[in-house]
Amino acid sequence: MTPDHAPADHPAIQPARTGILIANLGTPDGYDYWSMRRYLNEFLSDRRVIDLPRWKWQPILQGIILTKRPFSSGANYKLIWNEDKGESPLMTITRDQTAALRDRAQAEWGDKVMVEFCMRYGNPSTSDVLDRMVKAGCRRIVFLPLYPQYAAPTSATANDQLFRALMEQTWQPSVRTCDPYFDRPDYIAALAGSVRRTLGDRVPSRLVASYHGMPRRYLMQGDPYHCQCQKTSRLLQQELGWPDGVIDTTFQSVFGREEWLRPYTVEHVAELARQGVTDIAVVSPAFAADCIETLEEINGEIRESFEHAGGKDFTYIPCLNDDPAHIEVMMSVIRDNIGGWI
């Protein structure tokens, strides 16, 4: 399409559209050594994730860690890999979420919108997807990082990468980044619904709400993640109508030697078993899609920790994934941020 009154050699311009771009953490392209090494190198080189001085951290990362860890991480990914599609479950689920959102958005707004997804690490990269959306005519973009609770190593780094990608664009679109949705009533109701679907009428002796961990000093520096996790758990308990003391808030995926947010999930479930709590359920409110941390770590390492300490009944409650209630939560967040643009 060429603008009216433009000279014959004017470059074509696509009709203006509004873009909806969701972002998740990312996934390796495969579980082989070099795919894992590329992915881990990008992930662990992010200063939002590991904020040690580069002169101190990079020799450790490029030496010991990236020599050994791709093997162990690759073995864990192999356990959960979607062999039929040749991708990780996170990729499959994020693509399904995007397809569901696209159907809903197009039913509501027609061809005025374009819905895509990107990954902070790995493919499809934020830069490549943003470039494709701009070339397709997106002059305005709503950006939704799929992290219910805000944290600098998740929400902020996703935004950082978007802003870096914008620096590469000659004609930058207007952008709105979405607030975290940890306390939205529809999100809490969707969480409670997933608990009820899995457990039925049964109330376990303990429901462990396991969130991804981060160094405790981030909290002391002002990161709101810990407080938002605590509030999500409290609101979930109220929505379920369960008594005090049934839901515990814990943190998983500890890395390195420094103190992280406590209690650690893997230690906490073992302590529950030693105290005589033989039946627990685990839910992961911080994850928008099942991934290595839920399918392998919770259903593997954390389950084994509980059972080894004497626990009998361990139930994992899947993430919200592409459940219709979750898609509606995303749509509601998008509606709140797209106002005035369509």
Side-chain angles (χ1 to χ4, degrees), residues 291-333:
C291 53
I292 191 74
E293 287 86 359
T294 64
L295 298 175
E296 194 283 324
E297 185 178 0
I298 291 179
N299 238 348
E301 177 188 358
I302 291 169
R303 176 191 289 272
E304 290 170 5
S305 176
F306 177 69
E307 293 175 347
H308 182 74
K312 303 298 183 185
D313 188 353
F314 182 102
T315 302
Y316 172 62
I317 299 168
C319 294
L320 294 177
N321 296 326
D322 61 342
D323 181 81
H326 192 206
I327 300 303
E328 183 53 38
V329 172
M330 295 184 204
M331 278 296 296
S332 295
V333 173

Side-chain angles (χ1 to χ4, degrees), residues 222-266:
D223 194 299
Y225 177 70
H226 179 266
C227 300
Q228 293 183 2
C229 293
Q230 296 286 352
K231 187 171 184 180
T232 296
S233 295
R234 176 170 56 83
L235 293 175
L236 176 59
Q237 177 188 329
Q238 293 174 1
E239 181 72 17
L240 289 168
W242 290 359
D244 293 342
V246 175
I247 299 182
D248 293 342
T249 297
T250 65
F251 300 90
Q252 64 181 88
S253 310
V254 176
F255 177 78
R257 296 181 178 179
E258 71 174 302
E259 181 81 1
W260 280 43
L261 297 176
R262 286 185 179 270
Y264 300 155
T265 306
V266 68

Side-chain angles (χ1 to χ4, degrees), residues 109-131:
W109 297 305
D111 59 4
K112 297 177 182 178
V113 298
M114 178 179 184
V115 181
E116 298 292 338
F117 77 93
C118 64
M119 298 295 185
R120 169 61 184 90
Y121 313 105
N123 297 305
S125 71
T126 305
S127 180
D128 287 348
V129 177
L130 177 72
D131 186 63

Side-chain angles (χ1 to χ4, degrees), residues 52 126 152-153 160 196 207-208 211 213 218-219 226 246 288 312:
L52 295 174
T126 305
D160 290 345
R196 294 189 184 103
L207 174 65
V208 177
Y211 298 82
Y218 287 24
L219 166 64
H226 179 266
V246 175
K312 303 298 183 185

Side-chain angles (χ1 to χ4, degrees), residues 28-334:
D29 295 325
Y31 50 76
D32 60 282
Y33 175 83
W34 290 109
S35 294
M36 289 303 312
R37 185 180 175 109
R38 283 193 301 271
Y39 174 74
L40 290 172
N41 183 48
E42 183 180 9
F43 175 45
L44 296 175
S45 293
D46 186 351
R47 291 296 304 278
R48 291 280 195 182
V49 176
I50 306 291
D51 62 353
L52 295 174
R54 288 183 60 84
W55 65 266
K56 180 183 294 186
W57 173 242
Q58 280 298 318
I60 299 172
L61 175 63
Q62 300 301 326
I64 298 172
I65 294 176
L66 290 183
T67 298
K68 296 182 177 181
R69 188 155 181 172
F71 290 109
S72 58
S73 294
N76 290 336
Y77 267 98
K78 185 177 181 179
L79 294 173
I80 66 167
W81 202 254
N82 185 341
E83 296 288 358
D84 291 340
K85 296 189 175 182
E87 61 190 23
S88 75
L90 177 67
M91 179 67 77
T92 303
I93 294 166
T94 305
R95 184 180 287 110
D96 290 344
Q97 290 170 330
T98 305
L101 276 175
R102 185 178 293 123
D103 289 344
R104 294 292 308 279
Q106 290 181 347
E108 191 161 332
W109 297 305
D111 59 4
K112 297 177 182 178
V113 298
M114 178 179 184
V115 181
E116 298 292 338
F117 77 93
C118 64
M119 298 295 185
R120 169 61 184 90
Y121 313 105
N123 297 305
S125 71
T126 305
S127 180
D128 287 348
V129 177
L130 177 72
D131 186 63
R132 175 155 44 86
M133 295 178 78
V134 170
K135 288 177 179 176
C138 292
R139 300 288 169 252
R140 298 163 170 169
I141 293 177
V142 173
F143 184 65
L144 173 58
L146 292 182
Y147 307 107
Q149 299 80 18
Y150 173 94
T154 54
S155 310
T157 192
N159 290 335
D160 290 345
Q161 195 71 354
L162 175 68
F163 301 148
R164 279 190 284 267
L166 286 169
M167 294 171 65
E168 302 171 4
Q169 294 299 321
T170 301
W171 186 355
Q172 290 181 330
S174 299
V175 170
R176 291 175 179 169
T177 59
C178 298
D179 286 339
Y181 51 97
F182 66 98
D183 59 352
R184 288 181 63 101
D186 51 0
Y187 164 67
I188 299 299
L191 272 181
S194 70
V195 172
R196 294 189 184 103
R197 277 195 304 276
T198 302
L199 299 180
D201 296 330
R202 179 171 69 91
V203 177
S205 297
R206 207 65 58 89
L207 174 65
V208 177
S210 181
Y211 298 82
H212 199 288
M214 72 177 185
R216 186 177 183 277
R217 60 187 168 84
Y218 287 24
L219 166 64
M220 309 314 292
Q221 292 167 358
D223 194 299
Y225 177 70
H226 179 266
C227 300
Q228 293 183 2
C229 293
Q230 296 286 352
K231 187 171 184 180
T232 296
S233 295
R234 176 170 56 83
L235 293 175
L236 176 59
Q237 177 188 329
Q238 293 174 1
E239 181 72 17
L240 289 168
W242 290 359
D244 293 342
V246 175
I247 299 182
D248 293 342
T249 297
T250 65
F251 300 90
Q252 64 181 88
S253 310
V254 176
F255 177 78
R257 296 181 178 179
E258 71 174 302
E259 181 81 1
W260 280 43
L261 297 176
R262 286 185 179 270
Y264 300 155
T265 306
V266 68
E267 296 177 357
H268 184 73
V269 298
E271 181 59 28
L272 288 176
R274 286 190 289 268
Q275 292 173 2
V277 177
T278 59
D279 70 302
I280 67 171
V282 180
V283 66
S284 303
F287 297 93
D290 275 306
C291 53
I292 191 74
E293 287 86 359
T294 64
L295 298 175
E296 194 283 324
E297 185 178 0
I298 291 179
N299 238 348
E301 177 188 358
I302 291 169
R303 176 191 289 272
E304 290 170 5
S305 176
F306 177 69
E307 293 175 347
H308 182 74
K312 303 298 183 185
D313 188 353
F314 182 102
T315 302
Y316 172 62
I317 299 168
C319 294
L320 294 177
N321 296 326
D322 61 342
D323 181 81
H326 192 206
I327 300 303
E328 183 53 38
V329 172
M330 295 184 204
M331 278 296 296
S332 295
V333 173
I334 290 165

